[in-house]
Amino acid sequence: MIKSFNDQLPIWLTTPGPYSDIVILTKVSLYRDLCGYNFNTKTTDEEKEEILELLIDGIHNISEFDNILSLGELKSLEKRFLVERSFISNKEMIDGKFIGLALNKLQNNILVLNSEEHLKISSISPGFTIQVPFNECDRLDDELGDELDFVYDEELGFLTSSINKVGTGMEISVLIHLPAVVITGGVGNLLHVLEEHSFSIQGIFKTKDGVQGSLFKIKNEFTLGLSEEEIMEKTEEEIKKTIQMEIDAREYLIQNVRYETEDKIWRSYGIIKNARVLNLEDFLNLTSAVRLGVSLGFLKDINTLDLNRWMIQALPGHIRIANGDVGQEREENILRANIIRKNLGG
């Protein structure tokens, strides 16, 4: 089943979107819980099984979700693959015993069953666009609401186990590339600004040496007291400010350290195009510089869609699903280099 997902790329990896040179994807999620049951923080294993069966019965009546996966039946490698495609979280990868996952054929609409809340309805779109994935979530929410009874309070809105999700239960997150902000030392200031406005930011690939690849996830940490439209408006305003901060930082690099910036880009391009071995950390950082070079117009024979596809295909879970569990990290690093060199003609 997972192998079949690997053979078909999600629509958001094959279609360009607004601001796609900076924002890789936008994900909108709606969190819902079922009437008559405790939140998952207090449910027993027997209750979790009952909730999962009830959710599956309701989802089977939604025609676009033909297959439902049980994370508890998947290997660690298969769950890593799902994390890399932004279908599930790292927490769900580790603790997936009673968690289900449903995907549509385009792999842009996702249902996660029995995780933080009883149900998470999500949709992913390329670039930065909130309205498109929200419309998909809103439609699915209505359809599933006809099949399932969600907990709702007339004053507070949808009730969840987390106060951050009570109200609309809506979460908006973006996967964003901020190399110039990182290079110019602006991450601390950005973190402060986002926290002041009730947003969080975290590195996607973190090691003891910091965030690799300058890739971050930004999401709202508020829902109560605001309508869905107000949350979307506030989030759009904050993300566009972040995008502008990156644009300004890129202009600073070109005006003040152009030769050093070009040198970093071209060196990275030369290495990644000809390397025979690429570990994950080097791959992420080299690709980040190449992505910056494409955005600045220095590298004209590749585009951001190419880079998005290669980035996903060269992650550990994808390499091992596509080639079998290759065993040693050395073999994984060789295969990663092969993927990039083949695509770049090195």
Side-chain angles (χ1 to χ4, degrees):
M1 177 60 70
I2 298 296
K3 184 67 166 65
S4 66
F5 292 142
N6 187 56
D7 294 338
Q8 180 181 351
L9 288 172
I11 189 171
W12 47 272
L13 275 177
T14 60
T15 307
Y19 301 101
S20 57
D21 63 324
I22 295 176
V23 179
I24 295 171
L25 64 85
T26 304
K27 184 176 184 180
V28 175
S29 300
L30 299 176
Y31 291 87
R32 301 290 183 256
D33 287 275
L34 300 178
C35 289
Y37 294 92
N38 290 322
F39 295 129
N40 277 344
T41 51
K42 296 184 178 180
T43 51
T44 63
D45 288 353
E46 291 76 14
E47 288 172 319
K48 287 179 180 177
E49 286 182 346
E50 187 176 337
I51 291 168
L52 186 58
E53 289 177 7
L54 183 60
L55 289 168
I56 290 173
D57 287 343
I59 291 167
H60 275 154
N61 293 320
I62 309 298
S63 59
E64 68 183 274
F65 298 104
D66 295 329
N67 297 302
I68 300 175
L69 306 176
S70 172
L71 297 191
E73 297 175 359
L74 299 181
K75 299 176 181 177
S76 297
L77 173 61
E78 294 173 316
K79 288 185 281 188
R80 167 56 60 187
F81 174 94
L82 297 175
V83 170
E84 291 171 357
R85 289 216 174 175
S86 299
F87 295 153
I88 64 172
S89 66
N90 282 308
K91 183 179 179 182
E92 289 156 352
M93 178 183 71
I94 296 168
D95 182 20
K97 186 175 181 182
F98 299 103
I99 298 177
L101 173 71
L103 295 167
N104 66 346
K105 289 182 179 179
L106 296 177
Q107 300 180 43
N108 65 313
N109 292 341
I110 308 111
L111 304 178
V112 178
L113 325 179
N114 235 9
S115 182
E116 299 174 70
E117 310 300 333
H118 296 156
L119 178 65
K120 179 168 72 171
I121 305 165
S122 300
S123 185
I124 299 174
S125 287
F128 180 52
T129 171
I130 298 175
Q131 194 66 53
V132 174
F134 170 74
N135 289 344
E136 286 294 287
C137 286
D138 193 41
R139 174 182 63 81
L140 291 170
D141 188 32
D142 289 342
E143 292 181 17
L144 289 163
D146 291 337
E147 305 293 333
L148 302 163
D149 192 10
F150 299 138
V151 185
Y152 186 82
D153 181 87
E154 290 296 332
E155 291 187 5
L156 296 175
F158 291 99
L159 303 183
T160 65
S161 64
S162 170
I163 190 63
N164 288 342
K165 297 182 179 71
V166 171
T168 62
M170 183 165 73
E171 179 182 277
I172 304 170
S173 63
V174 297
L175 174 57
I176 190 167
H177 182 230
L178 302 173
V181 171
V182 171
I183 293 170
T184 57
V187 174
N189 181 50
L190 176 60
L191 174 64
H192 176 70
V193 170
L194 289 171
E195 286 183 343
E196 273 193 337
H197 294 88
S198 300
F199 288 84
S200 64
I201 179 171
Q202 62 182 45
I204 300 298
F205 300 98
K206 292 183 288 188
T207 67
K208 58 180 174 50
D209 297 320
V211 176
Q212 307 304 316
S214 300
L215 291 165
F216 297 87
K217 176 182 178 181
I218 300 175
K219 67 176 183 176
N220 64 301
E221 297 289 350
F222 58 90
T223 62
L224 188 59
L226 295 174
S227 67
E228 291 162 334
E229 289 73 20
E230 289 170 327
I231 294 171
M232 288 192 287
E233 183 179 338
K234 185 175 179 182
T235 301
E236 181 168 5
E237 179 182 353
E238 210 60 45
I239 298 302
K240 284 188 174 178
K241 285 181 183 177
T242 303
I243 291 171
Q244 188 59 52
M245 183 181 292
E246 173 65 19
I247 292 171
D248 291 344
R250 292 180 183 191
E251 290 179 356
Y252 174 87
L253 294 177
I254 295 303
Q255 291 174 6
N256 294 276
V257 284
R258 182 184 180 95
Y259 286 110
E260 291 85 350
T261 301
E262 283 195 59
D263 184 68
K264 179 181 178 65
I265 289 166
W266 283 107
R267 283 176 183 267
S268 298
Y269 180 72
I271 293 171
I272 207 168
K273 184 176 180 178
N274 296 287
R276 265 50 183 176
V277 180
L278 272 177
N279 65 37
L280 181 60
E281 184 174 329
D282 286 344
F283 165 73
L284 291 169
N285 292 324
L286 291 167
T287 305
S288 175
V290 170
R291 185 184 294 274
L292 178 60
V294 171
S295 298
L296 294 175
F298 297 146
L299 301 174
K300 301 183 184 299
D301 56 343
I302 52 178
N303 57 54
T304 53
L305 270 180
D306 294 331
L307 289 167
N308 290 346
R309 289 194 298 271
W310 303 341
M311 181 183 73
I312 292 293
Q313 292 168 340
L315 292 176
H318 278 71
I319 289 176
R320 292 171 182 267
I321 290 293
N323 297 277
D325 193 347
V326 297
Q328 297 297 320
E329 187 177 334
R330 175 178 177 272
E331 280 70 34
E332 178 192 308
N333 294 341
I334 292 171
L335 286 167
R336 180 177 294 112
N338 287 345
I339 291 169
I340 304 304
R341 196 169 64 253
K342 178 181 177 181
N343 283 288
L344 285 177

